């Protein structure tokens, strides 16, 4: 739900044109050429300016300066000044301030809007009756037209208010969706990191029982190194400083997979460049090697990374078919990568080949953020 009080604080002091408008109306009303050439309401005869005329003009113009902060008070003072102006027969140029005040109230008033509208209507009717009793020549259609013009100003202010509230709501919703997407992205990254490292550690630990003493120490060292790397990756994610490793870290990932017992051939073409594609390419290779290690351990796997003009392409092929790849990722593995790459306007595919092997292909635009 929109916090209307917060919205109000964003508009509290109003636009910068309130002050110049107030000065223009005040100065223009005092110019001899514009005297008695302003708003005419009520039909009372013109009257030369005197001290009361200046008071009426000031009451209509000065409150506009703070109209954005205290709209109701400004509206009341401007209405009082307008009454002095029209009942006195001055008909000053400052009468333009009334519709501005009405529009501002419609725009900025938070509470008791209906009450203000009712009070204004009652005062308007009373003023119309007073003008008639004083001999005013304003026809009924004139009163109705003037009232409808003020209602229109109120309606414009209300429409602007609704539009601004809708914009604030839209921005709040976008911010919430962005936060939710970021949380989901971090969860997917955590899944990728934990799955890969823990899988490697489990495979290495299981293989250690069959090793001789000479190779046991090497295997346990690999387990410890993998655990330390997992902690480092998790710290990067939780600090939201390094949301993922870049393409330049893929050789290290391949070497670690080899030490876990998976024969991997790696080749890279082109030079890695900065951008959002690197971390995604790293995750594609990581997820593909994790599934190969889990479901086709010992099968030859090849990894090819090409750094092209504005994109990175990744190809991971395993000779033996990798079973239940999608279910192995719990819905967050290759399926999650497919969603991320689709968002980047890239291409992703993963599936069995006719020869029984399994292939993962990805094309990631380098210009998009990850």
């Amino acid at each position: 739900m929109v916090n209307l009080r917060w919205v109000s604080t964003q508009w509290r002091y109003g636009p910068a044109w309130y002050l110049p408008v107030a000065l223009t109306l005040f100065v223009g009303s005092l110019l001899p050429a514009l005297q008695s050439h302003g708003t005419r309401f009520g039909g009372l005869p013109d009257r030369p300016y005197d001290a009361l005329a200046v008071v009426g003009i000031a009451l209509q113009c000065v409150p506009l300066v703070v109209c954005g902060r205290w709209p109701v008070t400004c509206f009341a003072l401007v209405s009082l000044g307008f009454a002095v102006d029209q009942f006195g027969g001055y008909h000053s140029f400052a009468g333009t301030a009334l519709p501005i005040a009405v529009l501002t109230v419609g725009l900025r008033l938070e509470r008791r809007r209906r009450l203000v509208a009712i009070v204004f209507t009652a005062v308007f009717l009373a003023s119309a009756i007073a003008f008639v009793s004083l001999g005013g020549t304003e026809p009924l259609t004139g009163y109705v037209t003037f009232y409808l013009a003020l209602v229109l100003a109120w309606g414009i202010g209300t429409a602007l208010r609704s539009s601004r509230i809708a914009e604030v709501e839209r921005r709040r919703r976008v911010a919430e969706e962005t936060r939710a997407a970021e949380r989901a992205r971090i969860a997917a990254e955590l899944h990728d990191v934990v799955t890969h490292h823990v899988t490697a550690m489990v495979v290495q630990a299981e293989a250690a029982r069959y090793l001789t003493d000479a190779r046991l120490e090497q295997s346990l060292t690999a387990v410890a190194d993998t655990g330390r790397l997992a902690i480092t990756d998790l710290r990067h994610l939780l600090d939201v400083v390094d949301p993922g490793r870049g393409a330049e870290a893929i050789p290290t990932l391949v070497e670690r997979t080899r030490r876990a017992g998976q024969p991997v051939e790696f080749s890279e073409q082109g030079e890695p460049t900065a951008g959002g594609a690197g971390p995604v390419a790293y995750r594609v290779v990581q997820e593909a090697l994790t599934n190969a290690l889990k479901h086709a351990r010992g099968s030859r796997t090849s990894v090819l990374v090409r750094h092209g003009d504005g994109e990175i392409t990744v190809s991971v092929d395993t000779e033996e078919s990798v079973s239940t790849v999608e279910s192995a990722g719990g819905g967050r593995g290759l399926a999650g990568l497919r969603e991320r790459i689709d968002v980047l306007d890239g291409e992703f595919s993963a599936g069995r080949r006719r020869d029984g092997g399994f292939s993962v292909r990805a094309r990631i635009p380098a210009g998009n953020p990850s």
Side-chain angles (χ1 to χ4, degrees):
M1 183 176 181
V2 179
N3 187 338
L4 294 182
R5 185 173 297 277
W6 180 87
V7 174
S8 177
T9 60
Q10 308 307 303
W11 310 337
R12 176 170 295 176
Y13 299 102
W17 52 262
Y18 276 125
L19 178 58
V21 168
L23 289 175
T24 300
L25 292 178
F26 185 81
V27 174
S29 298
L30 298 180
L31 293 176
L34 295 179
Q35 290 182 8
S36 299
H37 287 78
T39 303
R40 293 178 175 273
F41 177 70
L44 293 180
D46 292 339
R47 177 181 172 184
Y49 279 16
D50 52 19
L52 186 60
V54 177
V55 171
I57 293 171
L59 282 174
Q60 294 177 89
C61 298
V62 175
L64 287 182
V65 178
V66 294
C67 198
R69 187 170 186 178
W70 296 295
V72 176
T73 301
C74 170
F75 179 43
L77 292 175
V78 171
S79 298
L80 177 60
F82 185 80
V84 171
D85 191 346
Q86 300 303 318
F87 278 107
Y90 305 116
H91 303 140
S92 71
F93 183 62
T96 309
L98 182 61
I100 296 177
V102 172
L103 186 148
T104 304
V105 170
L107 173 63
R108 301 181 183 278
L109 185 61
E110 291 184 54
R111 295 173 296 177
R112 300 177 180 176
R113 297 170 60 85
R114 183 175 300 177
L115 176 62
V116 171
I118 292 174
V119 171
F120 170 73
T121 300
V123 171
F124 182 87
L125 290 174
S127 300
I129 294 173
F131 276 116
V132 173
S133 64
L134 291 175
T137 59
E138 186 78 45
L140 178 61
T141 55
Y143 291 112
V144 173
T145 301
F146 191 81
Y147 180 78
L148 292 178
L150 295 179
V151 170
L152 177 61
W154 175 286
I156 293 174
T158 300
L160 290 174
R161 174 183 175 82
S162 299
S163 176
R164 291 188 178 185
I165 291 177
E167 177 62 18
V168 171
E169 171 65 15
R170 186 191 66 80
R171 292 182 180 181
R172 181 195 63 80
R173 186 170 57 254
V174 169
E176 289 183 353
E177 292 174 353
T178 301
R179 286 193 295 268
E182 183 67 9
R183 287 192 294 267
R185 186 190 65 79
I186 293 176
E189 296 285 354
L190 287 171
H191 168 270
D192 292 342
V193 169
V194 172
T195 300
H196 177 80
H197 292 307
V198 172
T199 298
M201 293 171 68
V202 170
V203 171
Q204 291 165 347
E206 288 181 346
R209 70 180 68 179
Y210 304 106
L211 301 177
T212 62
D213 292 342
R215 298 191 60 189
L216 179 59
E217 181 178 355
Q218 180 182 358
S219 180
L220 293 177
T221 300
V223 172
D225 291 343
T226 303
R228 281 191 289 269
L229 186 57
I231 292 174
T232 300
D233 283 352
L234 290 173
R235 284 175 177 169
H236 282 252
L237 285 170
L238 295 176
D239 291 341
V240 200
V241 174
D242 181 11
R245 293 179 173 271
E248 66 277 1
I250 293 179
T252 303
L253 172 65
V254 170
E255 181 59 32
R256 191 166 62 248
T257 306
R258 289 170 179 163
R259 294 174 61 182
Q262 187 75 6
V264 181
E265 297 178 1
F266 174 68
S267 59
E268 187 173 19
Q269 300 175 0
E271 293 295 329
T273 58
V280 181
Y282 178 91
R283 292 305 180 203
V284 170
V285 176
Q286 185 182 54
E287 185 65 25
L289 291 181
T290 298
N291 282 286
L293 190 62
K294 290 172 63 176
H295 304 289
R297 186 169 181 267
S299 299
R300 190 176 68 86
T301 303
S302 63
V303 176
L304 172 61
V305 178
R306 292 191 182 95
H307 302 278
D309 184 14
E311 66 179 21
I312 298 177
T313 58
V314 176
S315 302
V316 182
D317 293 285
T318 304
E319 287 186 349
E320 184 177 329
S321 178
V322 182
S323 61
T324 62
V325 172
E326 295 294 342
S327 60
R332 290 184 178 271
L334 296 179
L337 285 173
R338 180 179 289 109
E339 293 176 358
R340 292 180 63 185
I341 294 174
D342 286 344
V343 170
L344 300 178
D345 293 328
E347 299 174 1
F348 181 85
S349 64
R352 293 182 178 85
R353 300 194 306 270
R354 291 183 179 181
D355 60 3
F358 195 88
S359 297
V360 176
R361 300 282 187 271
R363 184 187 63 80
I364 311 156
N368 289 299
S370 62

